[in-house]
Amino acid sequence: SVSPAAATSILKRQKQLGRKNVRFDQVTVYYFARRQGFTSVPSQGGSSLGMAQRHNSVRRYTLCEFAQEQEVNHREILREHLKEEKLHAKKMKLTKNGTVESEEADGLTLEDVSDDDIDVENVEVDDYFFLQPLPTKRRRALLRASGVHRIDAEEKQELRAIRLSREECGCDCRLYCDPEACACSQAGIKCQ
């Protein structure tokens, strides 16, 4: 038989184990300069983005400060994205959806989109925010602004070859698989 004192001590021990929680009170953010990446394959042409090997600054936030900082950053990214969408819509209107040439459309830039045309306040940032692919020109501009003077053009060709190779997957089998001629079978995978 178990004495009541022994049962109590087991319960206390379980309660003590349950009270151990991990709590975070601050966020440390390391900032890195932008560099040419050489590690990813952007969906569009041009160079990939990367970061320097060592951080150039560190900033510490409380959880509340970090949440506010993220909100401000996400709103700014959203503002830029909405401006790009508005610019694209203006160009499409001027070129009748790309069917006619328009010097006016060719000359439009993000500066031609007024902040008054953008309504960021009525968009829920958390619902909308996600990483957007950057166009080739924008990636080049970011690299130049970060002090990258020589962008390795060889990477552009390598990335293009990778994108093309990803389009060609599977085999040429139709209706039935001939293991002698099937590229998938020869590679040791199920016929695609």
Side-chain angles (χ1 to χ4, degrees), residues 36-89:
Q36 195 168 351
F38 302 103
T39 55
S40 64
V41 181
S43 56
Q44 298 178 7
S47 306
S48 61
L49 295 175
M51 60 187 193
Q53 293 212 347
R54 299 194 60 80
H55 61 277
N56 55 13
S57 65
V58 178
R59 187 154 176 214
R60 287 180 178 74
Y61 301 91
T62 65
L63 290 177
C64 186
E65 289 170 342
F66 183 71
Q68 289 171 343
E69 183 77 11
Q70 287 294 88
E71 175 81 10
V72 168
N73 289 340
H74 288 180
R75 283 209 180 278
E76 189 54 39
I77 290 169
L78 178 58
R79 181 184 319 285
E80 286 299 310
H81 181 69
L82 292 175
K83 282 179 90 167
E84 286 169 6
E85 282 184 347
K86 195 73 148 181
L87 175 65
H88 181 70

Side-chain angles (χ1 to χ4, degrees), residues 21-28 60-67:
N21 294 331
V22 175
R23 293 185 183 201
F24 298 96
D25 65 342
Q26 63 173 286
V27 177
T28 304
R60 287 180 178 74
Y61 301 91
T62 65
L63 290 177
C64 186
E65 289 170 342
F66 183 71

Side-chain angles (χ1 to χ4, degrees), residues 164-181:
L164 285 173
S165 74
R166 288 178 177 176
E167 289 175 12
E168 300 168 14
C169 63
C171 58
D172 297 326
C173 294
R174 301 285 181 259
L175 300 176
Y176 73 95
C177 175
D178 177 9
E180 298 288 322

